[in-house]
């Protein structure tokens, strides 16, 4: 016996079929649009130093603006944790990895792992050494070292200099030191400058410089100028100088334009800091990552940097000096720090 379906039932079935196909279409469209958004992994070392919070926010903002999704992980200064985070991101299908390496050599493992899954890697701010790194976006760190040393030696072309570098796990620490020596060596050779202390710290943190400088000041007290790898180290140096009643009497250079460092410049405890163009740096990395995820070559990679294994296409931006005279014209005008944050 043939199955009899009433007219109402037929139109109900037809309408249900229509609704179902519309739902399917919407679901497919939603899924497709999700899939099409490039996913950019940003592996960061730590957020302890003020500047990295800015890098993070600006990077996320730019990736989003360019239609991508930024996936962030912070390794808390642990290179093994960073490798695990990389593995997880690669497994979850990121299209590109942007890495602030905790360790210049160990991060090479991240590059190897990423390449096994055809994920390109951009080294951010710090160079990953001795591997097939794809791209590098940073500032000219040798030049930063030269800027610091030039500034202090213009004020004090003779005297006893203390050099406190960042950790040897960060290639930037070497590059800055190279920049310092480019300027200092001729003056050392002339017998005008004496480097009385030259040490690499274990971390980029105030306690390190405090420990290194306190140790020195316990036995000797000849110091006319101190060059530190960053502002965190410079603040530790100020703490040690204070204990020996030398704060404000010794020239002091740092880097990063941390709010406290700029306040210390206003107060006369620190001579200069270095302002890196963080916005341009984060935007350049985000732009490059999105382009690469589209299968295009990134723009503005006009130079190459040797990482020990290959010549890596790179962008190296210029940094500038912040002193007591130009705070308003630099970090404040650029919107990097609010005026009330410094002068309140
Ligand atoms: C360096 C960077 C500095 C500073 C430091 C500590 O690699 O060049 O600007 O932030 O790390 O995080």
């Amino acid at each position: 016996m043939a199955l009899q379906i009433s007219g109402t039932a037929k139109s109900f079935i037809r309408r249900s079929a229509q609704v179902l196909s519309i739902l399917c279409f919407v679901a497919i469209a939603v899924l497709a649009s999700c899939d099409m958004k490039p996913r950019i992994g940003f592996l960061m070392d730590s957020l302890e130093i003020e500047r990295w919070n800015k890098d993070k926010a600006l990077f996320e903002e730019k990736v989003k603006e360019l239609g991508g999704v930024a996936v962030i992980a912070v390794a808390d200064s642990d290179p093994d944790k960073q490798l695990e985070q990389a593995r997880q991101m690669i497994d979850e299908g990121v299209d590109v990895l942007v890495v602030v390496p905790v360790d210049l050599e160990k991060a090479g493992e991240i590059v190897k792992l990423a390449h096994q899954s055809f994920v390109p890697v951009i080294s951010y701010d710090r160079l990953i050494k001795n591997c097939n790194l794809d791209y590098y976006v940073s500032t000219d760190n040798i030049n930063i070292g030269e800027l610091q040393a030039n500034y202090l030696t213009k004020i004090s072309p003779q005297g006893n200099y203390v050099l406190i570098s960042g950790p040897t796990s960060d290639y930037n620490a070497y590059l800055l030191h190279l920049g310092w020596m480019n300027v200092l060596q001729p003056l050392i050779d002339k017998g005008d400058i004496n480097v009385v202390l030259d040490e690499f710290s274990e971390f980029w943190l105030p306690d390190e410089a405090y420990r290194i400088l306190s140790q020195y000041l316990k036995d000797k007290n000849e110091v006319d100028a101190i060059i530190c790898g960053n502002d965190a180290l410079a603040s530790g140096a100020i703490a040690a100088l204070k204990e020996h009643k030398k704060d404000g009497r010794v020239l002091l250079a740092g880097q990063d334009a941390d709010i406290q460092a700029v306040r210390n410049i206003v107060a006369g405890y620190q001579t200069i800091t270095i302002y890196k163009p963080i916005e341009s740096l984060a935007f350049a990395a985000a732009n490059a990552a999105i382009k690469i995820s589209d299968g295009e070559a990134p723009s503005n990679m006009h130079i190459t940097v040797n990482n020990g294994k290959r010549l890596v296409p790179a962008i190296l931006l210029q940094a500038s000096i912040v002193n007591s005279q130009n705070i308003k014209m630099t970090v404040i005008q650029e919107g990097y720090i609010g005026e009330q944050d410094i002068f309140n």
Side-chain angles (χ1 to χ4, degrees):
M1 203 176 99
L3 186 64
Q4 294 289 315
I5 302 175
S6 72
T8 335
K10 269 187 195 159
S11 77
F12 173 75
I13 293 170
R14 215 175 299 125
R15 232 173 292 131
S16 306
Q18 276 169 354
V19 170
L20 204 65
S21 61
I22 290 170
L23 283 177
C24 283
F25 180 78
V26 170
I28 289 167
V30 168
L31 282 175
S33 74
C34 287
D35 272 347
M36 273 162 62
K37 279 196 175 178
R39 289 169 64 78
I40 315 296
F42 192 20
L43 291 166
M44 305 192 72
D45 169 2
S46 142
L47 293 178
E48 222 170 320
I49 303 284
E50 194 178 296
R51 65 155 284 195
W52 296 112
N53 295 282
K54 294 185 173 147
D55 292 81
K56 175 177 175 286
L58 290 161
F59 183 81
E60 276 177 315
E61 174 196 321
K62 196 64 179 180
V63 168
K64 194 169 170 202
E65 188 192 309
L66 295 171
V69 179
V71 187
I72 314 276
V74 182
D76 302 318
S77 306
D78 178 346
D80 298 325
K81 184 169 174 180
Q82 189 167 56
L83 180 60
E84 262 329 292
Q85 290 172 332
R87 197 187 304 278
Q88 203 174 328
M89 282 192 188
I90 294 163
D91 289 349
E92 284 167 9
V94 288
D95 297 290
V96 179
L97 275 182
V98 178
V99 184
V100 181
V102 176
D103 186 285
L104 74 173
E105 294 282 350
K106 287 189 189 162
E109 288 297 313
I110 295 177
V111 177
K112 254 196 217 156
L113 201 65
H115 285 177
Q116 282 163 13
S117 300
F118 307 102
V119 174
V121 181
I122 302 174
S123 205
Y124 184 86
D125 195 286
R126 305 173 180 168
L127 186 61
I128 305 176
K129 292 279 291 168
N130 302 318
C131 62
N132 285 315
L133 178 65
D134 300 282
Y135 300 102
Y136 175 46
V137 176
S138 186
T139 37
D140 184 340
N141 285 284
I142 298 181
N143 178 250
I144 291 177
E146 290 170 351
L147 288 174
Q148 292 175 306
N150 260 323
Y151 197 93
L152 299 197
T153 53
K154 286 277 163 336
I155 305 174
S156 182
Q158 295 179 330
N160 296 311
Y161 274 64
V162 165
L163 309 179
I164 306 179
S165 297
T168 51
S169 53
D170 183 343
Y171 197 56
N172 285 348
Y174 293 107
L175 296 175
L176 288 174
H177 192 271
L178 203 65
W180 299 342
M181 295 316 288
N182 283 348
V183 175
L184 297 177
Q185 195 60 55
L187 299 166
I188 295 169
D189 293 345
K190 264 170 70 182
D192 288 349
I193 279 179
N194 195 10
V195 174
V196 290
L197 180 69
D198 184 2
E199 275 198 35
F200 282 78
S201 59
E202 274 179 48
F203 302 98
W204 288 104
L205 296 176
D207 288 357
E208 287 288 300
Y210 173 78
R211 173 182 60 78
I212 291 169
L213 190 60
S214 301
Q215 185 67 34
Y216 172 77
L217 291 174
K218 243 199 302 179
D219 314 318
K220 298 192 186 113
N221 90 73
E222 301 95 46
V223 51
D224 300 300
I226 304 174
I227 313 182
C228 288
N230 75 352
D231 286 337
L233 294 171
S235 76
I238 293 172
L241 289 172
K242 270 195 178 138
E243 282 185 8
H244 291 80
K245 308 220 172 350
K246 281 183 172 297
D247 47 318
R249 292 154 181 261
V250 174
L251 298 175
L252 176 61
Q255 172 185 219
D256 284 345
D258 284 352
I259 293 175
Q260 189 52 48
V262 180
R263 288 187 186 138
N264 285 338
I265 292 176
V266 174
Y269 299 132
Q270 187 167 332
T271 318
I272 54 159
T273 182
I274 296 290
Y275 168 51
K276 284 187 184 183
I278 303 290
E279 185 176 287
S280 307
L281 200 65
F283 285 7
N287 268 314
I290 295 288
K291 279 225 161 172
I292 299 164
S293 73
D294 264 358
E296 289 174 42
S299 35
N300 302 331
M301 299 256 179
H302 298 313
I303 56 162
T304 55
V305 170
N306 189 343
N307 80 335
K309 177 85 182 256
R310 71 181 292 252
L311 293 176
V312 185
I315 298 179
L316 288 190
L317 301 169
Q318 291 299 313
S320 45
I321 290 169
V322 179
N323 61 22
S324 61
Q325 307 300 308
N326 70 1
I327 293 171
K328 286 193 182 166
M329 279 149 22
T330 53
V331 282
I332 293 177
Q333 194 174 295
E334 297 262 331
Y336 190 72
I337 304 180
E339 192 163 356
Q340 71 288 352
D341 291 328
I342 300 170
F343 297 106
N344 260 359

